[in-house]
Each structure stands twice: as C-alpha cells, then as structure tokens.
Amino acid sequence: AAQPSCAMVSCHDVGECLVGPAPGMSAKTKMRVAKWYYLAGFVITSVLAWILRDYASEWLNGISAFGTCRESSATDQCMSQEVALRMSFANCCFFALHFVVCFWLKRDTDPRIELHGAFWLWKTVMWAGCIIGFFFVPSNALYGYAQLARVG
C-alpha cells in the first residue's frame, strides 16, 4: 500500500501525530511537518520574547528570580536582558535534548524518527515547560550560559 502524501493526511492521522506515533504517515511527511513545527515554534518564541522584554516588566517584577534586577539601578534594562537570556537558555536546553535524542538519525526505520516527527502535543508541553520553568531559575544559575551566549 502506498504511503499517504502530505495532501492525503487525514485529521485522524494528524490527531495521532499530536499525542503519539503516526504509523500511517511516511517518514518524509513527518520530516516536512517537523520543519514547519519548529519554524512556527521559533517564530512564536521570538515574538513572545519580544513582548515580554518590552511590555512585561511589571509582571516580571513579581517573580522572585528577578530579584537581582530589582536591586539594579537600570531595572527595566536588566529585566529585558534577563527575559532574552532565559528564553534563549530554555530554547537551547530543549533543542540540546532534542539533538542528543536524535543524533545520527539517518534511516526511516529508526524508531527515534517518531521522536522527531510525532508527539507534537508532548513536545509542545515540554517546550513551554522549559520556557516557563526558566523564569523561576535564580539569575546566578544562568551566569555560565550568559557568558557562553556572548561568544556564540
């Protein structure tokens, strides 16, 4: 039986792909969907970082992890930099884990292909959890990444 093309993917297949492996989708289709998913995620996190950086200083002031910024003379600028750093580090950690899991993924028959091209709901929850969680990490815990990010 022929594998469904991108145009032939039914709502049922997409629903399966959201929560688990999608056995009816070809590996090529899964890779195509993955590219668009990560592109959309990048755009969303970039816009979210911009919004939080420019407009959420009052909300961020209530988070205890931003205590170092409250003691600073340039509170708004410090919080803006902290937001960008935390969003960047959350994305870095999420994609580093994804890289480790999918390293040397070459064959369509590799079971890890499902980790890259399916489980969208769980990956979205994990990605959002990384981003939200890093807003509660103390600033001094991010110091090493901040120095690394200056170079790279």
Side-chain angles (χ1 to χ4, degrees):
Q3 294 292 330
S5 69
C6 195
M8 295 171 48
V9 175
S10 69
C11 291
H12 181 67
D13 293 333
V14 173
E16 286 178 352
C17 198
L18 282 174
V19 294
M25 292 175 74
S26 70
K28 186 176 181 179
T29 302
K30 289 177 187 177
M31 294 301 115
R32 187 175 299 131
V33 171
K35 288 176 192 176
W36 286 105
Y37 170 79
Y38 294 119
L39 174 66
F42 174 76
V43 169
I44 290 168
T45 57
S46 296
V47 170
L48 181 63
W50 169 60
I51 291 169
L52 290 174
R53 183 196 72 195
D54 290 350
Y55 303 109
S57 61
E58 288 182 29
W59 177 74
L60 296 171
N61 209 11
I63 297 176
S64 63
F66 287 85
T68 311
C69 287
R70 283 192 293 276
E71 299 165 4
S72 171
S73 59
T75 304
D76 287 343
Q77 181 183 6
C78 177
M79 286 195 183
S80 295
Q81 291 173 350
E82 284 277 326
V83 165
L85 178 68
R86 289 165 190 274
M87 295 284 287
S88 170
F89 193 38
N91 282 324
C92 180
C93 289
F94 175 80
F95 284 108
L97 176 64
H98 192 72
F99 171 76
V100 168
V101 170
C102 293
F103 189 69
W104 284 92
L105 180 62
K106 291 183 178 180
R107 295 185 310 266
D108 294 349
T109 57
D110 192 325
R112 295 176 301 155
I113 196 103
E114 298 297 339
L115 295 174
H116 180 67
F119 297 103
W120 301 114
L121 176 66
W122 307 118
K123 284 194 277 190
T124 302
V125 167
M126 192 168 96
W127 198 352
C130 284
I131 291 171
I132 293 167
F134 274 99
F135 277 91
F136 299 97
V137 173
S139 296
N140 57 2
L142 301 172
Y143 179 77
Y145 176 74
Q147 298 309 314
L148 179 69
R150 287 179 194 227
V151 178

